[in-house]
Amino acid sequence: MRFPLNMITLALLAASAQALAGGYSLQNANTDKVKFDAWSCKGCALETGTAGNVGVGIGYQDSDDIRSANSFGSDNEVPYKLDADVRHLTESGYRTEFSAENLGMDNGRANVSTGRPGSYNISLDYRSIKTWDSNTVVSPFQGISSGNLTLPGDWVYSGSSDGMSGLAAASPFELSLKRERAGLGFDYQSDSPFATYVNFQREEKSGIKTASGSFFNQSIMLPEPVDYTTDTVEAGIKMKGDHGFLALVYNGSRFSNGYSELTFDNPFHPTFGAARSGTMALDPDNQAHTVSLQGLYNDGSNQLTGRMMAGQMSQDQALVTTGYRYSLPTDAMDAKVDLLGMDLKASSRISKDLRLSGSYSYSDRDNQTQVEEWTQISINNVNGKVAYNTPYDYTSHRFKAGADYRISRGIKLDGGLDYRVDERSYQDRETTDETTGWARLKLSSFEHWDIALKGSYGKRGGSEYEASEWTSSENNPLLRKYYLADRNRTQTELRVTHSPLDSLSLDFGVRYALDDYDATEVGLTESKDLGYDASLSWQLTDKLLLSSFYTHQTIDSAQAGSSRFGAANWFSDIEDQVDVYGLGLAWNDLMDSRLKLGLDYSYSDSSSSTQVRQGITGDYGDYFAKVHNVNLYAQYQASERMALRLDYRMENYKDNDAANDFAVDGIWNLVGFGPLNHDYNAHLVMLSINYRL
Amino acid sequence: MKTRPLSAVLGSLLLGGLLALGMHGPAQAAKWDAKMTPQEVEATLDKKFAEGNYSPKGADSCLMCHKKSEKVMDLFKGVHGATDSSKSPMAGLQCESCHGPMGNHNKGGNEPMITFGKDSTLSADKQNSVCMSCHQDDKRMAWNGGHHENADVACASCHSVHTAKDPVLSKSTEMEVCTSCHTKQKTDLNKRSSHPLKWAQMVCSDCHNPHGSLGEAGLVKPSINETCYACHAEKRGPKLWEHAPVTENCAACHNPHGSVNDAMLKTRAPMLCQECHASDGHASRANLGNTGLGGEMGDNAFTGARSCLNCHSQVHGSNHPSGKLLQR
């Protein structure tokens, strides 16, 4: 029976390929009549030599808050940069390209690549990203930027932070993180169906981030040193045929942390356990390796795509023993997680207007780490409690089936059904499953209108919920963790684009989503998300382009809790809001096409309010961030090759968080960093010269 | 059939640049569009493609008329115009590799050729079939049936080949191009905290493959967490004491596009933590914040400073032998 079936399948496939393949793929080109001998391409004007643009810029900024450097790309008072986009082509077809954007600033990038297109290419990349939080935060510790934070010799210990006279002399430090990346890549291909590539990248991340150390009920905000190095390698072999390809790819990543632990003196009077210092384990060195085989087959009407992936994440860093007085079951974990993944996707064009598709994805995280007995430092420091680690396994299966049907030219309907099952170990619910149906209608048949409407409904359920099976202290049996809980999710979106004139385009969208956790009595019970936006792009005259947009979003969430380990007796409402407005004006072709002027302005106001009710009502105070950004620019073409550009940029920023608006000693059992709020105006002027080679 | 309005938005975005280069405004629709319906154009192109009446002299036949156009000649500045690369269209059917057989188009330019981009009446499907005949590889294997293909986005809605360097590949304009349709993400990246997307220090394609992928949301890695680990390898572990949702999905607590809360958290602590932790004792208490009766948000370690993280600092997991409660 196999033979006839295969014959029929083949015959059908062949027939459908001929009848429906459509398209103008080169593989289907009818080149029988071409007389290539006469195709000499004399007029092909290949420009050899060097061409492109090089620009340099220098600026001056005025800011009293380092946070503005996030927008301006540098915290230098006099920032400078190199921009370039240069290519060099030799007569033999050797091509070299150099590009740079904001090189010299803290946020910049550059790339050099050289090779022969279609044969081989070598590339070098550089990229840096720096993010600034504050340089006015303070800490009483010495040895900031090291793994050992000590207090001054004359430190006055106290049971309460306001009794620590040394806090008056706490010194400021910069809370910022910088990443620098360098990469080297090589790829090779020949006239054979094979191609190969290898990319190596090293990233170094350095700076200081926030951590907290605690002794029973006393806590200290700590400057944690960051000195990460991550090396990644990706290498692959690809094989290509007329109807598909195969690729075998290896990905490797090795992470190492310059600091394995952070030890800190206790600024409080030693209480329980008489601990004078504490130690945190910082992120351990680790590595991950994956190999994947992926392929595609396409005959014009039917397509089959697949990927199989196997990998492992591992970590065997020596465990922290500083200040830990119990015996260890092992000096270092042999922590290993096996990863396995498979994706299979098929689509078939049944007719010119109808396509069916289906897919299955499997992903498995199998934590092979041994379970051991670990003594926990407890308040009573004489007898530690014993605990066992719980290496989590997680498996997911996802199925999708869909169809898209072109009802007529300009009316398209698509829809589908998604189903997923998630299996977990050591968690409150062994499995969850979710079924989602969706449909979308797209109308583009009207002359000046495009309309798209999408809706979906999903229902999540699962196995019996056992709230306390694996938790150390008993959880409320009515609690349903939101990522495991039963949930009904409704989503809908409408988008309308109207182009009444060639020069005018209007776009409007509205979306609404409701997550209803209908079986939850304690935990997140509901979340509603409403958003709308409008934008306009209008070529007012030949020279003047106006663009503008506005977006709004409100997310309302409701939550319930119980302070008596039973039915809910406190409730909270959280309302998140954001409004963003933008305006752009560009005057081109002024002064005989020599001058271009532009203005970009944007404003965003995001805020969140939290109310908690239990008899009385409390709130979490102001929590907002408001920012105005202006960029005014003028570009003058001084000569055929040289252009001058002047940019003025301004940022007005203000944020607040009532939780962090207090002095270092504002909370009796906590040593903080001081207020973290920002309120500033910052200005940057930059002059750049661009030269066309 | 019109392609996605993305082309219109991108068009206006690039218009400034094009005008500055001394070019004219939006190109006019092709000559034949005035006389033929899109259906007729497509039928003619299908017929021409099947007949295979290519020009007698290849590119030289085309350039007899088209060499005056700066835009046409700009092809030779980029790799698609490289005459000495065996992979370039110029090594094969030259201009007609992409624009189809010339047929009788040279007699007055009335007969349709395959055209691309915003003014083409040809369906995105048909336009893309040309590009995909060469650009079918592991980075584009999920294009078919992917998000953008389903939305009828044509390759030429974003890309141009008649140029030294395709402008959409520039990181400085990428955000504008993507957020012209993805407005929800545009809203997110303007919130209190987000990845550094607003000033293009990071760009959408750092995490998403616009050509689709077999994983979720077109992510460049097979899963959400593996995508995050690409830059946040310190969170990968595996650590001795894991925090269950962290190992499963970073997006359980964070919105990577941005949030009104610090650290891109979906909800601020202690509320976020209390959505899952309600054991008897301090975790189940109502933290009322400012009550007007003496209680204040910033006067206690349960709501003030880092809230739950004041003590449970290692929310991403701990590798300390005594780290079960993620405190050290």
Side-chain angles (χ1 to χ4, degrees), chain A residues 24 30 33 42-43 95 127 190 219 240 253 281 283 286 315 355 377 424 482 539 553 619-620 659, chain B residues 15 46 50-51 60 77 87 129 134 144 149 183 191 206 236 238-239 248 252 287 290 305 310 314 322:
Chain A
Y24 310 121
N30 171 8
K33 291 177 253 176
K42 286 179 199 144
R95 197 179 176 94
R127 186 174 172 188
S190 67
S219 167
K240 197 169 172 178
S253 165
D283 297 307
N286 68 67
Q315 181 267 119
R355 183 174 59 183
I377 300 169
R424 302 168 178 88
Y482 63 95
Q539 188 73 45
Q553 187 185 24
D619 66 71
Y620 284 10
Chain B
L15 193 64
D46 286 355
E51 287 172 352
D60 287 334
K77 292 181 178 168
K87 309 281 185 201
S129 67
C134 291
N144 209 333
E149 195 255 8
T183 53
K191 291 176 178 173
D206 284 328
R236 188 168 54 199
K239 293 179 184 171
E248 179 179 326
N287 295 292
N290 304 322
N310 284 324
Q314 304 277 51
S322 178

Side-chain angles (χ1 to χ4, degrees), chain A residues 428 464-469 471 473-481 519-523 562 564-568, chain B residues 276-280 284:
Chain A
D428 303 357
E464 194 186 342
Y465 200 101
E466 295 172 82
S468 298
E469 194 178 358
T471 45
S473 50
E474 250 183 78
N475 241 334
N476 188 322
L478 298 173
L479 170 76
R480 298 288 177 269
K481 295 180 179 175
T520 301
E521 288 180 52
V522 172
S562 171
R564 56 173 184 228
F565 205 66
Chain B
C276 290
H277 297 279
S279 52
D280 207 3
S284 64

Side-chain angles (χ1 to χ4, degrees), chain A residues 116-119 189-192, chain B residues 82-92:
Chain A
R116 199 181 286 279
S119 176
Q189 51 186 316
S190 67
D191 288 334
S192 81
Chain B
T83 50
D84 43 19
S85 157
S86 63
K87 309 281 185 201
S88 153
M90 297 315 287

Side-chain angles (χ1 to χ4, degrees), chain A residues 23-27 30 33 39 41-46 70-71 85 87 93 95 107 109 117-118 127 179 181 189-191 211-212 219 238 240 245 253 255 281 283 286 294-296 303 305 313 315 319-320 355 365 367 376-377 387 389 392 398 406 409 412 424 442 446-447 473-476 479 481-482 495 511 533 537 539 545 549 551 553 559 562 570 574 576 578 604 606 618-620 623-624 629 656-657 659-660 667 670, chain B residues 1-2 12 15 38-39 42 45-46 49-56 58 60 63 76-77 81 83-87 93 96 114 121 126 129 133-134 137-138 141 144 149-152 164-165 171 183-184 186-187 190-192 198-199 201 206 216 231-234 236-239 241-242 244-245 247-248 252 260-262 267-268 271 275-276 278-279 284 286-288 290 297-298 300 303 305-306 309-310 313-314 319 321-322 324:
Chain A
Y24 310 121
S25 138
L26 276 170
Q27 288 79 15
N30 171 8
K33 291 177 253 176
W39 288 38
C41 202
K42 286 179 199 144
C44 296
L46 216 57
N70 292 305
S71 309
D85 187 3
R87 63 192 176 278
R95 197 179 176 94
N107 286 300
R109 59 172 92 213
R127 186 174 172 188
R179 290 171 188 269
R181 264 183 194 183
Q189 51 186 316
S190 67
D191 288 334
S212 288
S219 167
K238 305 187 221 184
K240 197 169 172 178
F245 79 91
S253 165
F255 165 80
D283 297 307
N286 68 67
Q294 41 202 300
L296 172 146
Q303 179 164 301
T305 326
M313 309 193 297
Q315 181 267 119
L319 289 162
V320 169
R355 183 174 59 183
R365 177 194 204 268
N367 195 333
Q376 302 298 293
I377 300 169
N389 54 314
Y392 293 107
R398 273 171 290 160
R406 203 173 290 284
R409 205 181 169 86
K412 186 174 165 181
R424 302 168 178 88
K442 282 189 66 204
F446 309 111
E447 179 124 20
S473 50
E474 250 183 78
N475 241 334
N476 188 322
L479 170 76
K481 295 180 179 175
Y482 63 95
R495 286 221 79 76
R511 67 183 80 79
D533 58 79
S537 171
Q539 188 73 45
L545 174 72
F549 72 91
T551 77
Q553 187 185 24
Q559 188 174 334
S562 171
W570 62 263
I574 302 166
D576 299 341
V578 60
S604 71
S606 65
D619 66 71
Y620 284 10
Y623 191 40
F624 63 76
N629 284 102
N656 193 8
D657 174 8
N660 277 294
I667 299 175
L670 187 134
Chain B
M1 175 69 217
K2 288 179 284 184
S12 26
L15 193 64
Q39 286 90 335
E42 190 171 335
L45 290 173
D46 286 355
F49 185 74
E51 287 172 352
N53 288 320
Y54 288 88
S55 63
D60 287 334
L63 294 175
F76 298 107
K77 292 181 178 168
T83 50
D84 43 19
S85 157
S86 63
K87 309 281 185 201
L93 289 164
E96 292 157 279
I114 301 171
T121 59
K126 285 261 165 102
S129 67
S133 54
C134 291
D137 58 22
D138 57 329
M141 65 190 278
N144 209 333
E149 195 255 8
N150 255 338
D152 287 328
K165 193 170 183 181
K171 305 295 177 200
T183 53
K184 185 169 196 277
K186 182 173 188 153
T187 313
N190 278 291
K191 291 176 178 173
R192 182 186 184 105
K198 188 171 170 181
W199 306 107
Q201 290 139 5
D206 284 328
E216 278 179 76
C231 295
H232 302 281
E234 78 278 8
R236 188 168 54 199
K239 293 179 184 171
W241 304 102
E242 297 184 318
T247 61
E248 179 179 326
V260 298
N261 302 301
D262 276 330
T267 308
R268 65 182 300 168
M271 284 298 148
E275 286 174 2
C276 290
S279 52
S284 64
N287 295 292
L288 294 165
N290 304 322
M297 187 67 184
N300 68 88
T303 51
R306 306 182 71 215
L309 278 74
N310 284 324
S313 181
Q314 304 277 51
N319 211 50
S322 178
K324 182 178 167 58

Side-chain angles (χ1 to χ4, degrees), chain A residues 248-282:
Chain A
L248 182 67
V249 180
Y250 162 77
N251 273 284
S253 165
R254 187 184 288 270
F255 165 80
S256 65
N257 191 345
Y259 299 99
S260 58
E261 60 185 63
L262 177 63
T263 296
F264 50 95
D265 286 350
N266 183 359
F268 291 94
H269 270 311
T271 51
F272 304 95
R276 291 207 165 267
S277 71
T279 301
M280 284 173 71
L282 301 185

Side-chain angles (χ1 to χ4, degrees), chain A residues 329-400:
Chain A
T330 172
D331 292 338
M333 297 294 297
D334 184 17
K336 279 194 175 74
V337 169
D338 289 341
L339 302 169
L340 200 60
M342 186 180 79
D343 302 275
L344 202 59
K345 187 174 163 188
S347 72
S348 179
R349 193 164 278 292
I350 303 299
S351 74
K352 191 166 171 291
D353 299 318
L354 177 66
R355 183 174 59 183
L356 301 179
S357 61
S359 69
Y360 168 67
S361 293
Y362 169 81
S363 152
D364 182 54
R365 177 194 204 268
D366 183 6
N367 195 333
Q368 303 276 9
T369 308
Q370 72 274 27
V371 176
E372 303 276 6
E373 193 179 278
W374 305 91
T375 309
Q376 302 298 293
I377 300 169
S378 56
I379 299 165
N380 176 346
N381 200 34
V382 183
N383 301 307
K385 283 184 188 167
V386 160
Y388 297 88
N389 54 314
T390 49
Y392 293 107
D393 295 339
Y394 171 61
T395 307
S396 83
H397 305 264
R398 273 171 290 160
F399 302 86
K400 288 184 181 181

